[in-house]
Amino acid sequence: MKASVAKNIISIVSNKGGVGKTSIAIAAGCYFSQKLKEPTLLFELDCSPGDFGTLFDIDKKNSLEMALRYPDSLNKYVKNINCNLDILMGLQNPLAAESVKKEELFLLLDVIKMNYTNVITDTQTVLNSMTINMLSESKKILLVTDSSIESFNRVINYHDILTKGFFISKNIINLLVNKKTIKDCFKLWDFARISGLPVQGFLPFEKNFNKSVFAEGSSSIQRSGFYRQVGKIIENGLFKGVPDVN
Ligand SMILES: Nc1ncnc2c1ncn2[C@@H]1O[C@H](COP(=O)(O)OP(=O)(O)OP(=O)(O)O)[C@@H](O)[C@H]1O
Ligand SMILES: [Mg+2]
C-alpha cells in the first residue's frame, strides 16, 4: 500500500434492494484505480452478507472483522485486485455489525485514510449504526434509486432519515437514478423537481450487463458499457461543490 491521504470517501446507499449499489461501487472503484491510477479501497459495509466474497473469491478469514480487530495490519486483510485496487470484504454475520463500536470503526478509518486516495463504500439496504458512522465520515453520498415510483418514494424517506434523524449534511447527498429506460415516464429533471434533491445523473438499463462481469477481471470490466457510464458520472463532476467535511 502506498502512503497517501484519502481525498474521496464516497458511500453508495439505498434503502431499496437491487437498485445497483454494489455494481456502482465496484465500477467506481475500478475507475478510480485504473483510469486515474490512484490507490483505491472498495470497502464493503454490506453485512447481510454482501457480494464481495463471492465476486472476488475472498477467503472468509480476511474480512472487516479482522481489520477492526487489528487495524494496523489492514494490508493482511484486504485483497489486492490490481496494482491500485484493494478490497475489504464486510462482516459475514449481520448481527456482528451491531456490536461494532464507533471508536473501533474510526480507528480503522484512520489507517484506511492514510493508505488510500479513494475509498468507495458499498452499503446494505437496512441502515445500521456502522453505516451511519461511515456516512458521517463520507465526503459524498450517492443515494441510488431505480426509476420506479416506489423506489423513488423510499429513497426520499431515506434522505429524510439521514438528514433529519442523523444530521448527515444535505450538501453531500446526491441522487443517482439507475436502470433508466427510454420508456420511463420520469425524466431526470422530474426527479430533481419532485424530490428537491440534486440529481447526479442516471445510468441507463443495460440489458447485457450483469455484475458477475466484475469477477472476470479488468479487461471485461473496462469493456462494459456500465463501467463507461459510471466513469462519465465521475468525470462529469461527481466532486463538484463537495465541501471538505473532514
Ligand atoms: N444499469 C443496469 N442495467 C442492467 N442491470 C443492472 C444495472 N445496474 C445493476 N444491474 C443489475 O441489477 C442487479 C442488482 O444489482 P446490485 O447487486 O448491484 O444491486 P444492490 O443495490 O447492490 O443490491 P442489494 O440490495 O441486494 O445489495 C444485478 O444483477 C446487476 O447486474
Ligand atoms: Mg449490494
Side-chain angles (χ1 to χ4, degrees), residues 16-24 46 51 122-123 125 178-179 203-207 209-211 226:
K16 175 83 165 44
V19 290
K21 297 178 287 295
T22 301
S23 306
I24 294 165
D46 184 350
D51 299 319
D122 179 28
T123 63
T125 306
N178 187 21
K179 304 189 185 182
L203 293 164
F205 180 82
E206 304 216 4
K207 72 177 189 322
F209 173 73
N210 191 297
K211 71 180 169 202
F226 184 81

